[in-house]
RNA sequence: GCGCCGGUAGCUCAGUUGGAUAGAGCAUCAGCCUUCUAAGCUGAGGGUCAUUGGUUCGAGUCCAAUCCGGCGUACCA
């Protein structure tokens, strides 16, 4: 909002100097508020090109600025050549008034112009339960999808899965072995690379309760029964867990359909006709080295089966053909190897690979009292997401998984997450929201008629203006978080906004102040409440009225 | 070996296309509730930004090398 006002003024002044330069005009908010509301280093950056002193360039530039004295109080040179801009209280009051007009839609924009975005996340095959790492993937994908929605994109949330192939047979064999063991066949061998989790026993138990001994013959049909039952069981659990995390995906894309609909074949033909594949040792190779990659890779094995790369390529091609303008993939760090291959292949097929945004998040470790938690009694593997949700709830899980940057290793502190107190950062945000609600409850109890459009120009306290300055950043923060696909930016902002509110609340009485001032402050509180609520909604976290 | 991610306060992490005195939470210590929710607020201490060199008006940020940690590196998915 500040930049939108000041930038054209500087551009106009720069034009008057007749300086032709590629140096970008950048404004930033100084860390120290004594250095103004905005600052630009343009004079320093021009100094080299113009071979003049930064300060004299700055001086000249400032003399050419034409601005409204009612909105900007001063523009001055500081340090070695920064130009610092100070806005007036009136400017901020005007800005707040504009925000009030947009009501609870504040923060939404149409910047995306309805571009179609596909966000693919979770994408776990139905062979097991979700654990903490999947949770991070899920929450990042969901929040990024929300960010695209709030910035005016048309978003499809998609889950890509494979219920065919070896891993599913493996699941079937694992279930079957447990089933036989339940039947009393204690020594029935468990497959060597089977799924060892306790949940397999649960599945087998349920299967047994339904079918009793009727599946005892070790034949193809009975294995298929096990597979089907296991798939449904796992998918049911996965979806239920996602539901608890408030995650709803509208498209479940089955990898198998790529084969049955001939899309695998068609991508091979496409690559072949463009000359990017060749045969060697009985296998089909993709000539990735022609795209600057180190090695060529096999896409169809000599056995005739495709490697995992091929369906991945076909799937991405398919997403483009379905008409998406932007593809977002959310992967864990262990999937990184396939990314360059797929992107290169997509480019080879004539699509713009810059439209694919691959978000790779690092791993999550769970700690308790400073020690790593590895084992869980239930699964024998790692804490499941469900167990975590049981313990601390969806709001805490989501926030903890979002409050760190995607590319950094995340330590999930279970002791802190369990803490229902001031130590827990989630409650700090939610408390600010509840506190505002409570002010309005009190107002209602005392029969105060809240004015819908009070005169807010009466506001003058420093904490009031700090809060306003924070509030007007909101759209910029959303847009930044969306551009970088980094939910942490929003989580961080909300924390500092909540802090600004708490400072204000501490310093300024709302109810009990003189009437005009009280109404202005109520309006300020209400606007803050909307921002916190909208911000938490994007993060998928509830904004309680009472705590 | 090669590739990707990371190394910033005791701990967990921010640090906006290179900017002014490197920040937050937790932990530690000292304060603030007869008044709208103390899940709050105020203050203090705490740093070789892994190491070394380079680029420039200016480096936590860019470049190079080295060290440490994580994850990859199949005709497995």
């Amino acid at each position: 909002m500040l930049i939108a006002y000041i930038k054209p003024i500087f551009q106009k002044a720069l034009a008057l100097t007749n300086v032709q330069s590629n140096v970008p005009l950048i404004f930033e908010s100084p860390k120290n508020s004594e250095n103004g509301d905005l600052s630009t280093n343009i004079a320093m950056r021009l100094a080299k090109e113009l071979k003049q002193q930064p300060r004299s360039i700055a001086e000249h530039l400032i003399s050419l600025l034409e601005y409204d004295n009612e909105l900007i109080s001063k523009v001055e040179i500081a340090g070695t050549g920064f130009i610092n801009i100070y806005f007036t209280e009136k400017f901020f009051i005007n800005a707040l008034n504009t925000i009030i007009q947009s009501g609870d839609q504040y923060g939404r924009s149409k910047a995306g112009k309805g571009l179609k975005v596909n966000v693919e996340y979770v994408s776990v095959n139905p062979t097991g339960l979700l654990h903490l790492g999947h949770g991070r993937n899920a929450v990042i994908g969901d929040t990024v999808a929300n960010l695209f929605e709030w910035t005016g994109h048309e978003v499809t949330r998609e889950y890509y899965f494979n219920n065919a192939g070896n891993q599913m047979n493996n699941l079937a064999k694992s279930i079957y072995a447990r089933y036989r063991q339940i039947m009393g066949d204690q020594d029935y061998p468990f497959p060597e690379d089977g799924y060892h989790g306790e949940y397999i026993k649960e599945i087998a138990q349920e299967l047994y309760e339904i079918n009793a001994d009727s599946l005892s013959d070790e034949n193809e049909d009975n294995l298929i029964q096990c597979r089907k039952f296991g798939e449904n069981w796992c998918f049911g659990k996965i979806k239920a867990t996602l539901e608890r995390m408030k995650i709803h995906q509208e498209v479940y894309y089955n990898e198998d359909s790529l084969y049955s609909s001939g899309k695998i074949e068609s991508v091979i033909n496409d690559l072949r006709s463009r000359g990017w594949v060749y045969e060697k040792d009985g296998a089909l190779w993709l000539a990735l080295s022609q795209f600057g990659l180190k090695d060529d890779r096999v896409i169809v094995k000599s056995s005739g089966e495709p490697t995992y790369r091929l369906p991945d390529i076909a799937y991405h091609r398919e997403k483009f053909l379905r008409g998406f303008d932007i593809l977002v993939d959310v992967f864990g760090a262990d999937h990184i190897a396939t990314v360059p291959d797929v992107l290169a292949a997509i480019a080879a097929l004539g699509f713009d690979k810059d439209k694919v945004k691959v978000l790779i998040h690092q791993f999550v470790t769970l700690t308790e009292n400073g020690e790593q938690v590895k084992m869980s009694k239930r699964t024998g593997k790692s804490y499941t997401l469900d167990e975590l949700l049981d313990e601390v709830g969806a709001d805490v899980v989501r926030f903890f998984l979002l409050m760190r940057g995607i590319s950094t290793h995340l330590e999930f502190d279970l002791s802190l997450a369990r803490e229902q107190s001031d130590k827990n950062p989630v409650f700090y945000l939610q408390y600010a929201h509840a506190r505002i609600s409570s002010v309005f409850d009190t107002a209602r109890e005392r029969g105060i008629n809240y004015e819908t459009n009070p005169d807010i120009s009466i506001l003058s306290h420093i904490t009031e203006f700090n809060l306003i300055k924070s509030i007007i950043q909101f759209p910029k923060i959303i847009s930044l978080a969306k551009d970088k696909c980094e939910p942490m930016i929003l989580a961080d902002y909300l924390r500092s906004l909540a802090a600004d509110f708490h400072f204000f609340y501490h310093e300024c009485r709302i109810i009990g102040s003189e009437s005009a001032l009280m109404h202005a402050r109520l309006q300020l509180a209400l606007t803050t409440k909307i921002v916190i609520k909208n911000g938490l909604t994007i993060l998928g976290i509830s904004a309680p009225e009472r705590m």
Side-chain angles (χ1 to χ4, degrees):
Chain A
M1 216 170 252
L2 301 172
I3 295 173
Y5 177 77
I6 200 70
K7 197 165 183 177
I9 292 173
F10 267 79
Q11 282 167 336
K12 203 170 159 193
L14 280 168
L16 290 174
T17 63
N18 287 321
V19 174
Q20 297 291 329
S21 168
N22 290 326
V23 173
L25 179 59
I26 293 166
F27 295 91
E28 59 178 14
S29 315
K31 288 173 200 156
N32 189 337
S33 60
E34 284 171 22
N35 291 323
D37 297 302
L38 280 182
S39 168
T40 179
N41 60 1
I42 187 71
M44 284 137 91
R45 301 195 60 155
L46 283 172
K48 199 173 185 182
E49 256 180 78
L50 302 183
K51 298 197 172 70
Q52 291 177 39
Q53 292 298 317
R55 288 187 72 101
S56 72
I57 296 171
E59 221 165 294
H60 182 55
L61 202 53
I62 290 173
S63 72
L64 294 171
L65 294 174
E66 289 177 33
Y67 56 82
D68 187 343
N69 284 313
E70 299 235 307
L71 300 179
I72 289 180
S73 59
K74 61 178 175 178
V75 178
E76 61 179 26
I77 306 172
T80 49
F82 290 102
I83 301 175
N84 294 339
I85 302 132
Y86 299 75
F87 288 80
T88 61
E89 294 188 351
K90 185 177 175 185
F91 182 93
F92 292 110
I93 294 295
N94 287 352
L96 184 59
N97 266 320
T98 309
I99 291 164
I100 291 166
Q101 303 311 315
S102 47
D104 58 9
Q105 292 301 299
Y106 177 55
R108 285 195 189 271
S109 86
K110 295 191 165 66
K113 296 175 184 155
L115 281 177
K116 291 179 73 182
V117 182
N118 181 291
V119 185
E120 183 224 318
Y121 55 109
V122 192
S123 297
V124 175
N125 290 337
T127 57
L129 302 169
L130 297 181
H131 58 67
L132 192 52
H134 299 130
R136 188 177 195 187
N137 185 296
V139 168
I140 288 170
D142 196 53
T143 305
V144 167
N146 289 341
L147 285 166
F148 274 101
E149 247 167 31
W150 276 70
T151 48
H153 300 78
E154 193 187 317
V155 176
T156 299
R157 293 146 202 268
E158 189 153 323
Y159 186 124
Y160 175 69
F161 71 99
N162 184 7
N163 61 348
N166 265 331
Q167 31 164 18
M168 293 304 290
N169 292 334
N170 203 355
L171 176 72
K173 287 178 196 161
S174 306
I175 294 171
Y176 185 76
R178 295 300 186 209
Y179 170 82
R180 287 292 293 264
Q181 289 167 1
I182 289 167
M183 275 176 58
D185 211 342
Q186 297 295 344
D187 297 330
Y188 192 88
F190 193 76
E192 196 154 319
D193 47 357
Y195 292 95
H196 284 275
E198 287 295 310
Y199 67 97
I200 297 290
K201 292 181 187 168
E202 279 185 50
I203 297 172
Q205 184 64 41
E206 288 183 31
L207 191 65
Y208 182 75
E209 281 162 19
I210 294 167
N211 296 287
D213 291 351
S214 66
L215 305 179
S216 59
D217 278 353
E218 189 180 340
N219 62 34
E220 190 68 19
D221 281 352
N222 286 341
L223 275 178
I224 288 173
Q225 285 261 356
C226 287
R227 207 180 86 171
K228 223 45 225 168
F229 191 82
E231 178 188 336
N232 289 335
W233 194 93
C234 290
F235 241 140
K237 291 281 183 193
I238 289 170
K239 285 176 185 167
T241 305
L242 292 174
E243 183 74 22
R244 292 180 76 186
M245 303 256 291
K246 298 180 204 159
I247 291 171
H248 312 275
Q249 284 156 288
E250 51 263 18
V251 176
Y252 284 80
Y253 199 97
N254 189 342
E255 179 178 324
D256 210 30
S257 71
L258 291 168
Y259 294 88
S260 56
S261 62
K263 279 161 190 151
I264 296 287
E265 202 56 36
S266 129
V267 95
I268 294 173
N269 292 337
D270 201 347
L271 286 167
R272 202 191 298 274
S273 69
R274 290 166 190 263
W276 303 128
V277 293
Y278 61 89
E279 297 200 23
K280 193 179 97 184
D281 306 330
L284 193 65
W285 294 71
L286 181 59
L288 290 166
S289 55
Q290 294 188 41
F291 300 99
L293 268 65
K294 206 164 159 252
D295 298 309
D296 292 350
R297 300 284 183 191
V298 170
I299 54 172
V300 181
K301 300 186 239 174
S302 51
S303 65
E305 290 171 53
T307 64
Y308 65 88
R309 260 173 279 268
L310 184 53
D312 277 359
I313 293 164
Y315 176 50
H316 280 80
R317 172 176 174 269
E318 192 54 26
K319 284 195 274 192
F320 273 116
L321 293 176
R322 282 159 64 197
F324 291 107
D325 301 297
I326 299 170
L327 307 183
V328 180
D329 295 339
V330 186
F331 294 142
D334 53 338
H335 278 72
I336 191 148
T338 161
V339 172
D341 300 353
V342 172
L343 290 182
I346 281 299
L349 289 168
F351 298 101
D352 183 357
K353 69 173 180 180
D354 291 338
K355 290 181 173 176
V356 183
K357 286 184 176 229
V358 182
L359 311 183
I360 308 252
H361 61 85
Q362 295 299 310
F363 281 10
V364 185
T365 50
L366 193 63
T367 60
E368 188 169 11
N369 303 320
E371 283 180 26
Q372 258 204 42
V373 182
K374 279 181 185 158
M375 296 299 173
S376 141
K377 296 135 266 172
R378 266 190 81 243
T379 64
K381 215 178 165 192
S382 58
Y383 236 87
T384 67
L385 200 46
D386 256 344
E387 290 170 308
L388 210 55
L389 288 166
D390 290 341
E391 285 208 44
V392 302
D395 284 345
V396 172
V397 169
R398 286 194 68 126
F399 191 81
F400 272 58
L401 291 175
L402 290 173
M403 71 180 178
R404 302 296 179 222
I406 285 174
S407 65
T408 165
H409 198 99
L410 189 153
E411 189 163 310
F412 194 108
D413 184 339
L414 193 53
S415 331
L416 182 61
R418 261 199 285 255
E419 193 102 32
Q420 301 272 320
S421 74
D422 56 328
K423 290 174 193 163
N424 195 321
V426 189
F427 297 123
Y428 187 80
L429 296 183
Q430 295 186 318
Y431 183 64
H433 188 265
R435 226 179 188 186
I436 296 169
S437 295
S438 148
V439 170
F440 282 91
D441 287 346
T442 306
R444 216 168 296 121
E445 280 165 24
R446 299 192 188 174
I448 294 163
N449 284 323
Y450 172 60
E451 290 174 23
T452 51
N453 206 1
D455 176 15
I456 55 168
S457 65
I458 193 170
L459 297 173
S460 64
H461 195 273
I462 175 87
T463 60
E464 292 167 338
F465 278 95
N466 284 338
L467 184 52
I468 294 170
K469 288 174 187 179
S470 194
I471 287 171
I472 66 178
Q473 301 292 325
F474 188 48
K476 196 181 88 185
I477 293 293
I478 292 180
S479 144
L480 188 67
K482 171 244 143 196
D483 285 345
K484 300 203 163 189
C485 291
E486 190 56 275
M488 178 270 300
I489 292 173
L490 179 56
D492 237 33
Y493 162 78
L494 290 176
R495 213 164 2 175
S496 90
L497 174 71
D500 284 327
F501 175 77
H502 289 308
F503 300 153
F504 157 71
Y505 181 89
H506 190 259
E507 292 293 319
C508 299
R509 255 204 101 65
I510 302 173
I511 293 167
S513 294
E514 174 272 323
S515 176
L517 185 57
M518 175 180 70
H519 282 98
R521 286 178 173 169
L522 280 169
Q523 180 62 262
L524 180 58
L526 183 65
T527 310
T528 307
K529 189 179 174 211
I530 289 170
V531 177
I532 294 176
K533 170 101 186 255
N534 290 355
L536 287 174
T537 300
I538 294 170
L539 298 179
I541 294 168
S542 66
E545 299 292 328
R546 232 157 258 105
M547 285 175 76

